Amino acid sequence: MTIFAIWAAGLGAAAQFGKMSVAYPALEAVYAGQAGIGIGVMLSIVGTVGLVFGTTAGLWVARVGARRALVAALALGAVASALQIGLPPYPVMLATRVLEGLSHLVIVVVGPTAIAGLAPGRGQGAAMTLWSSFFGVAYAVLFYVGPDLLADHGPGLLFGLHAIWMAVAALVLWLLLPGEGGQAQVKRRASLWAEHRAIYASPRLAAPAMGFVCYTVTYVAVLTILPAQMGDMGGFIGVAMPLVSIAVSLTLGIWLLGRMSAVRLVQRGFAAAMLAAGGLWLSWGGGLASVFALGVAASLGIVQGASFAALAELNPGPADRARAAGAIAQLGNLGTTVGTPLLVWITARAGEIGLALFVIGFSALGVAIHAVQARRRLSAEPLPRR
């Protein structure tokens, strides 16, 4: 029950992005003077907070404990959403989005850390894969119910419902989580800069994040750009890709995690994405192109879930998990920020060949990163193989 409650908090964190995405046309009407770049900043500033402070949040969570950090973040998110109900002036709305950025960052750092500590050994891979689905599930639900809700009541009601969700999640987790949320209290031992260097120098702490950035660069960009390139099948591809990604991650991904290490599964997911991207290139314009497009989504869905399972697998201690989760938040936001503009630039010059090579290149980089980091781990301290 506690794991599902944390996952529900993750849905609320994803909705901090999703509610603005689904309300984008209504917000352009309300803030007509800020249409275009101004509304884009309103959407993206939540991710910018994570990009700048991701690892710092992981260090802070490791010190204060999961329960206090998660409940405080949910309460902050509830207050921010409540302030948005009346659609305040643009500067005030932007300030509430900065608050949501802080709230979102702490939730996505604490979520996998706390779940990894609560899940039993054999069920840890499944629990971490469930966590990894929170973004896709939240977006699917919001884009299913959001348009009608907005048409009948405007964005204020959507923001109010989100505030209620966050407040209820805060109360439930305050009651369910143990006093320190499985976290050890740690003292600050070095400067933030030194601790950042220590995280990214560690083959255990940094490996999940360094592989995950190859996923976020690829998946978000392809999901954004590919449907528009698929002609009549574009609408179907745009809806089906995230659903296939989630479904495969929660079924085949969990089954495979019971049979191989999470790191190896990340590498195989990237390898499958390379094959699917090659098939998409060769079948472009034909009937099989949509099949290979869904193959790319399915393969990257495997990578998504296995990356969070690798976080728990490589870092048995709660403080280290918090640090590794902070790195995932930071590099994940880097990937979502740069991936789409980069793919737009590539496809404008190389078309579908460029898109396929984009997926193949970053997937190969993900395989190579994990291979190098695994060699570094084995040379430092061999891990027992499953």
Side-chain angles (χ1 to χ4, degrees):
M1 184 179 295
T2 306
I3 289 171
F4 275 104
I6 296 170
W7 181 68
L11 296 180
Q16 290 171 322
F17 280 98
K19 68 181 182 182
M20 292 296 182
S21 296
V22 73
Y24 191 93
L27 292 172
E28 283 200 314
V30 173
Y31 301 99
Q34 302 294 334
I37 294 177
I39 304 299
V41 170
M42 186 187 295
L43 269 66
S44 65
I45 198 168
V46 169
T48 304
V49 173
L51 175 60
V52 176
F53 297 108
T55 310
T56 305
L59 297 170
W60 178 73
V61 168
R63 294 183 185 117
V64 305
R67 182 172 182 249
R68 284 187 289 176
L70 187 53
V71 171
L74 287 163
L76 179 62
V79 170
S81 274
L83 292 172
Q84 294 165 0
I85 293 172
L87 302 175
Y90 180 79
V92 177
M93 177 64 86
L94 205 60
T96 67
R97 294 294 287 163
V98 173
L99 295 179
E100 285 195 302
L102 296 171
S103 167
H104 178 90
L105 175 58
V106 173
I107 294 169
V108 300
V109 170
V110 176
T113 305
I115 286 177
L118 291 165
R122 292 183 61 84
Q124 192 173 78
M128 298 304 286
T129 303
L130 172 69
W131 168 257
S132 76
S133 71
F134 74 94
F135 217 92
V137 171
Y139 260 72
V141 172
L142 281 167
F143 275 89
Y144 181 74
V145 304
D148 289 340
L149 195 67
L150 289 163
D152 294 338
H153 304 285
L157 179 61
L158 181 64
F159 299 156
L161 292 174
H162 183 246
I164 293 171
W165 182 280
M166 301 292 274
V168 171
L171 177 61
V172 169
L173 285 168
W174 176 259
L175 296 174
L176 288 179
L177 281 172
E180 292 184 355
Q183 300 270 11
Q185 300 294 313
V186 295
K187 295 181 179 180
R188 184 170 179 171
R189 298 176 181 174
S191 69
L192 284 175
W193 174 245
E195 290 184 309
H196 276 71
R197 284 187 300 165
I199 288 172
Y200 286 113
S202 166
R204 296 186 187 280
L205 297 173
M210 294 176 73
F212 193 68
V213 70
C214 297
Y215 158 79
T216 57
V217 164
T218 306
Y219 182 73
V220 174
V222 170
L223 186 59
T224 303
I225 303 302
L226 181 59
Q229 308 290 322
M230 295 291 289
D232 294 339
M233 293 298 293
F236 166 75
I237 291 297
V239 173
M241 283 185 71
L243 296 179
V244 167
S245 179
I246 294 168
V248 171
S249 178
L250 291 175
T251 53
L252 180 61
I254 291 175
W255 184 79
L256 289 172
L257 280 171
R259 286 154 180 80
M260 68 181 72
S261 73
V263 170
R264 186 176 300 174
L265 184 56
V266 170
Q267 292 178 299
R268 293 189 178 183
F270 275 131
M274 294 167 65
L275 293 174
L280 177 62
W281 177 6
L282 295 175
S283 64
W284 193 268
L288 287 177
S290 59
V291 175
F292 284 112
L294 296 181
V296 171
S299 302
L300 293 176
I302 295 289
V303 172
Q304 177 191 38
S307 294
F308 280 99
L311 180 153
E313 181 178 279
L314 295 175
N315 300 285
D320 283 345
R321 285 173 180 163
R323 293 182 174 94
I328 280 184
Q330 189 167 52
L331 294 190
N333 278 294
L334 174 63
T336 58
T337 300
V338 305
T340 300
L342 179 59
L343 184 55
V344 168
W345 183 83
I346 290 172
T347 54
R349 286 154 179 78
E352 64 273 12
I353 296 175
L355 188 147
L357 291 177
F358 176 83
V359 176
I360 291 170
F362 277 104
S363 296
L365 180 61
V367 173
I369 285 171
H370 273 293
V372 170
Q373 298 285 46
R375 182 173 296 179
R376 290 183 62 207
R377 289 192 298 272
L378 286 173
S379 65
E381 181 184 350
L383 284 174
R385 291 173 178 256
R386 282 204 280 164

